[in-house]
Amino acid sequence: MNRAQGRRPGGDLAAGDDRPLYWTRLRMTVQLADWKPGFPVDRSALRSRFEDASRGLTANDFRGTPGVRRLFVSGFDPFGLDTELRRANPSGSAVLQLNGRRLTLADGTPVEIRAVVLPVRYADFDAGIVERAYGPRLAAGPRAADMITSISQGYPGIFTLEAWAGRARSADPYPDNADALSGGTYAHPVTAPGLGPGAEFLRTTLPTDAMTAVQSPYPVLLNTEVSEIPAGQDSPVDRTDGPTPGSRAVAGGGGGYLSNEVAYRSNRLRTELSPRLPGGHLHTPVLTGLPTDPNQLTGAAFEQNESAIAAEVREVLLHSAPAAP
């Protein structure tokens, strides 16, 4: 966080680049696995504590200052590294630059932002990392969030606010960062393990009109598309206007991968713990601009694009202005 926000400069990469955190975590995980202390150690517990701390799941509470709204967001690690090791994730970059900041919403109200960076691994979702991240911020009290928004990388050239999140995994054969599959396909979606009771689809409660007022440098659109198996049928159908009554979820607006699932899990928990709270999911544009030379980690176009996306994430969030609790 300190590096991303310019308080600890160093190295050849831009301050807002999210990849140093990811690379350092991978290196530390290997070193912990190779560590041979002269005393007993629970390696699994040690790794879990390290992961949680490095992702913002610990020691990252709201201050609870009276009159200051509280916005909780999540981003993701880079993914697809099997085909491009240099990939970044603009959602991770954006939330690292926002975590702990006190800013001013478009209506003039001060807001404190807290953030976590989630892994792109089904096993962590199965084990409840989303609920562990969002649960403490949804519990009643002076340090509870006033709004939640999950963020991930989405489509080329546009931001989308997803109107619907679906209760299904359907992204196979696309693997996660551990090379694991979900077990669900478009034709045969599966329900993610560990989910509590909930609807097949959950609709965003974010102030989408205000947030889609931001249109530069990338347009911000409300995406109402879903894929469903209609009631009484066996085959998936793509719809542009949301789900129909009694249908089974195949994919939300964010597809059937973990970006859709973080939206569903966090907002299912929100409906249980704080149903009046605004919540939803924001997709960023795809980050482009890596140099064609694979030995170059960064370049001017890449850094400019990442900076522009992160700045617009901030602007969209500052236009959210949730109603005071």
Side-chain angles (χ1 to χ4, degrees):
M1 182 182 75
N2 285 330
R3 186 183 186 282
Q5 296 179 19
R7 293 193 294 272
R8 191 176 294 168
D12 298 327
L13 301 178
D17 197 318
D18 62 309
R19 296 173 299 173
L21 173 61
Y22 184 74
W23 294 336
T24 301
R25 186 189 299 117
L26 289 176
R27 181 66 180 269
M28 278 295 298
T29 300
V30 171
Q31 291 182 340
L32 286 173
D34 291 340
W35 183 41
K36 295 180 175 59
F39 51 86
V41 61
D42 186 335
R43 292 184 184 275
S44 177
L46 185 62
R47 175 173 174 172
S48 295
R49 291 181 63 183
F50 168 68
E51 280 263 347
D52 283 2
S54 71
R55 295 184 179 283
L57 271 75
T58 60
N60 196 22
D61 293 333
F62 289 106
R63 298 181 184 90
T65 307
V68 178
R69 290 178 182 160
R70 297 171 296 277
L71 169 58
F72 185 71
V73 299
S74 63
F76 271 110
D77 285 344
F79 59 94
L81 300 176
D82 287 346
T83 56
E84 175 52 82
L85 288 172
R86 298 175 297 164
R87 278 206 176 103
N89 193 321
S91 70
S93 172
V95 302
L96 286 171
Q97 293 179 56
L98 290 169
N99 188 40
R101 301 285 298 275
R102 182 179 291 185
L103 303 172
T104 303
L105 293 169
D107 68 351
T109 306
V111 62
E112 179 186 353
I113 303 176
R114 291 287 167 175
V116 296
V117 179
L118 297 172
V120 186
R121 298 188 300 241
Y122 287 114
D124 294 83
F125 275 56
D126 295 348
I129 192 170
V130 176
E131 289 78 6
R132 288 196 296 111
Y134 280 87
R137 280 78 180 189
L138 293 170
R143 297 190 178 186
D146 296 317
M147 190 180 89
I148 61 170
T149 307
S150 51
I151 308 170
S152 64
Q153 182 175 230
Y155 309 100
I158 59 170
F159 279 85
T160 56
L161 281 166
E162 306 303 338
W164 298 95
R167 186 185 174 85
R169 290 176 176 173
S170 58
D172 293 355
Y174 193 80
D176 67 5
N177 274 356
D179 205 30
L181 297 174
S182 72
T185 66
Y186 179 79
H188 300 285
V190 298
T191 300
L195 284 178
E200 285 292 303
F201 289 95
L202 294 175
R203 187 180 180 92
T204 184
T205 54
L206 292 174
T208 56
D209 287 348
M211 296 171 80
T212 54
V214 180
Q215 291 292 310
S216 178
Y218 301 94
V220 183
L221 309 176
L222 178 64
N223 180 22
T224 58
E225 297 177 355
V226 299
S227 297
E228 66 173 16
I229 299 175
Q233 299 184 31
D234 298 319
S235 300
V237 174
D238 298 334
R239 299 185 58 86
T240 60
D241 55 352
T244 56
S247 68
R248 181 184 173 194
V250 174
Y257 195 49
L258 290 172
S259 59
N260 168 77
E261 189 168 326
V262 68
Y264 186 90
R265 284 183 178 270
S266 59
N267 283 281
R268 192 215 65 81
L269 194 64
R270 177 188 58 78
T271 61
E272 180 182 311
L273 298 178
S274 190
R276 299 181 64 182
L277 202 73
H281 187 82
L282 175 67
H283 263 122
T284 76
V286 173
L287 177 57
T288 60
L290 279 172
T292 55
D293 181 352
N295 294 312
Q296 288 186 268
L297 295 178
T298 190
F302 176 80
E303 293 179 2
Q304 290 167 5
N305 292 341
E306 187 167 49
S307 177
I309 292 172
E312 193 163 348
V313 167
R314 168 175 165 159
E315 191 67 17
V316 171
L317 293 177
L318 293 183
H319 274 71
S320 59

